[in-house]
Amino acid sequence: MVDARSDARATRRMRIGMVGGGRDAFIGAVHRMAARLDDRTELVAGALSSDPDRARLSAADIGIAPDRAYSSFAEMAEREAARPDGIEAVIIVTPNHLHAPVAKAFLAAGIDVICDKPLSATLAEAEELAVLARASGLVFAVTFNNTGYAMVREARSMVAAGQLGTLRVVRVEYIQDWLTQPIDADGQKQAEWRTDPERAGRSACLADIGVHAFNLAQFVTGMAPELVAADLTTFVPGRRLDDNAHVLLRYATGARGVLIASQVSPGNGNRLALKLYGDKAGLEWLAHEPEVIRFTPFGKPTRILVRGGPGLGPASADVSRIPAEHPEGYIEGFANLYRDAVDAILRRRSGAGDGSSGHVPSVEDGLLAMRFIEAAVNSSLTGSAWTRL
């Protein structure tokens, strides 16, 4: 019996376009690398910048034909939808405030969407976008890329199988140091828009990295907190949004959690960590050591589970490309998410399914993360009062 994924992987490359991600942008290039790692896509169109000259030059840099290099995402959506060889999906890698307008334009044009996180700059926009995405019947994937790591998939499978027992404690953190100094005030492009409330939204630290931590914990545990109590802080004088967040989490199951996000912690580049503790065992996964899970049954020695090694199930094997101790990392995990998203889009377009996927974060996951940001900000403004998502 041949499954739908095998059928989808045997098809031609899917035509994709990109909005944002031009010269000097960081995450656009990462998306392009991830999207093409499995040779499943072809980037044929882009509105890589709102500046016409930068858009044209950025498109030329990556081989997009001049007649498909746009300076307006609205023009791109309209013209690509009208072409017989138009794009089948769009990747959105703009600053936060443009995610919703761009996504709405392409949904209206009948084009599937792969959107960077967060879903939007405001909860109201996210709610509206979710309604439109549901009504469209199109695939709407949100690139919470940490869900693509093989050992994150393995951890999720272990939790679902009850290997930890009843979950009691959820600890997740994402710690950086790049905003320790006021580089946003000095004009550093990536820092400047991320700390601008008009473009980033109500929170800088949570919208940039806190949502990754939130989604990682949600993905692996299969549950989201009901209540949060947050303390958001702006340590750098003159900065307009927070650069540090401590958030307590309460779950309907009785579990308790803590989420820490910081961009002012010297000595940390990208330290993302998930630690789960149940009544039977504990589990730890660290993004800077992505090949390994530390699994400790209560009262027994810790077991080191290695991607591709013995004792693992199909969850990690399905997204492993090479044998154990040939390291796989950030790009490979990101590429797994793209592979799953492409499969979902091709299934929908071929009529083989509705495009749903248990592994690809959806518009609903993006909306939940936006509700988390909103609740955390509101909690912090009210003396860290417990606030419902």
Side-chain angles (χ1 to χ4, degrees):
M1 180 177 178
V2 179
D3 63 28
R5 168 174 289 211
S6 297
D7 287 342
R9 288 179 184 173
T11 62
R12 57 170 174 76
R13 295 186 186 95
M14 189 177 76
R15 299 183 301 275
I16 59 172
M18 177 172 281
V19 177
R23 285 185 172 183
D24 302 324
F26 157 66
I27 202 64
V30 173
H31 279 259
R32 292 192 292 270
M33 284 187 280
R36 68 175 179 255
L37 186 62
D38 291 310
D39 202 23
R40 302 289 311 287
T41 65
E42 181 182 8
L43 183 63
V44 296
L48 305 180
S49 174
S50 59
D51 177 85
D53 288 336
R54 183 179 291 271
R56 175 178 53 81
L57 293 171
S58 297
D61 288 344
I62 57 176
I64 292 176
D67 66 327
R68 301 181 79 172
Y70 306 95
S71 58
S72 161
F73 68 81
E75 179 191 13
M76 176 177 164
E78 180 181 0
R79 287 178 54 184
E80 287 296 318
R83 293 178 66 116
D85 62 346
I87 63 170
E88 297 160 281
V90 66
I91 301 167
I92 303 171
V93 286
T94 63
N96 302 351
H97 71 296
L98 290 173
H99 288 179
V102 176
K104 286 193 287 186
F106 284 88
L107 289 174
I111 295 170
D112 295 283
V113 173
I114 301 172
C115 184
D116 203 16
K117 59 79 208 165
L119 192 57
S120 59
T122 70
L123 179 58
E125 286 180 323
E127 298 275 9
E128 179 187 7
L129 193 54
V131 170
L132 293 173
R134 293 180 201 124
S136 73
L138 298 169
V139 172
F140 195 116
V142 181
T143 52
F144 289 114
N145 60 288
N146 298 293
T147 63
Y149 282 106
M151 296 307 278
V152 167
R153 301 277 179 96
E154 187 72 23
R156 185 190 197 195
S157 178
M158 293 170 69
V159 171
Q163 293 188 46
L164 277 67
T166 299
L167 283 179
R168 292 172 169 172
V169 179
V170 177
R171 297 176 57 87
V172 63
E173 62 182 29
Y174 197 153
I175 301 175
Q176 301 175 326
D177 65 2
W178 75 294
L179 293 180
T180 298
Q181 298 298 322
I183 60 173
D184 43 333
D186 295 336
Q188 208 271 10
K189 180 181 177 181
Q190 298 299 321
E192 195 270 334
W193 77 256
R194 282 176 168 83
T195 56
D196 177 3
E198 294 298 319
R199 290 177 284 175
R202 297 186 71 193
S203 169
C205 189
L206 289 180
D208 195 22
I209 59 174
V211 289
H212 273 307
F214 174 84
N215 177 261
L216 176 64
Q218 175 209 345
F219 181 82
V220 174
T221 65
M223 60 186 190
E226 284 193 325
L227 298 165
V228 300
D231 180 17
L232 276 58
T233 307
T234 306
F235 281 109
V236 174
R239 182 163 288 158
R240 290 177 288 173
L241 289 173
D242 54 89
D243 47 32
N244 194 87
H246 295 166
V247 187
L248 296 178
L249 313 171
R250 283 186 179 174
Y251 295 86
T253 61
R256 295 294 187 264
V258 59
L259 182 152
I260 299 174
S262 178
Q263 295 175 305
V264 290
S265 296
N268 295 280
N270 281 279
R271 289 294 175 119
L272 174 61
L274 177 66
K275 302 179 181 183
L276 305 176
Y277 305 106
D279 61 356
K280 292 182 180 179
L283 178 154
E284 300 183 2
W285 177 83
L286 311 176
H288 60 281
E289 299 176 359
E291 301 277 80
V292 171
I293 286 174
R294 290 173 176 82
F295 176 65
T296 310
F298 177 69
K300 297 182 179 179
T302 296
R303 295 168 54 196
I304 305 299
L305 306 177
V306 179
R307 184 202 56 78
L312 303 182
S316 57
D318 188 50
V319 288
S320 292
R321 292 173 174 79
I322 50 181
E325 298 190 351
H326 289 300
E328 292 186 355
Y330 182 75
I331 295 297
E332 290 87 351
F334 217 128
N336 287 333
L337 188 65
Y338 261 98
R339 187 176 67 181
D340 289 341
V342 169
D343 284 347
I345 292 168
L346 291 177
R347 282 197 302 271
R348 186 200 70 76
R349 287 185 164 267
S350 68
D354 61 3
S356 59
S357 170
H359 288 133
V360 181
S362 68
V363 71
E364 305 299 340
D365 296 300
L367 177 57
L368 183 60
M370 288 299 300
R371 288 176 175 158
F372 164 70
I373 294 173
E374 186 81 358
V377 172
N378 289 340
S379 171
S380 188
L381 291 173
T382 55
S384 301
W386 284 104
T387 304
R388 189 171 299 276
L389 264 66

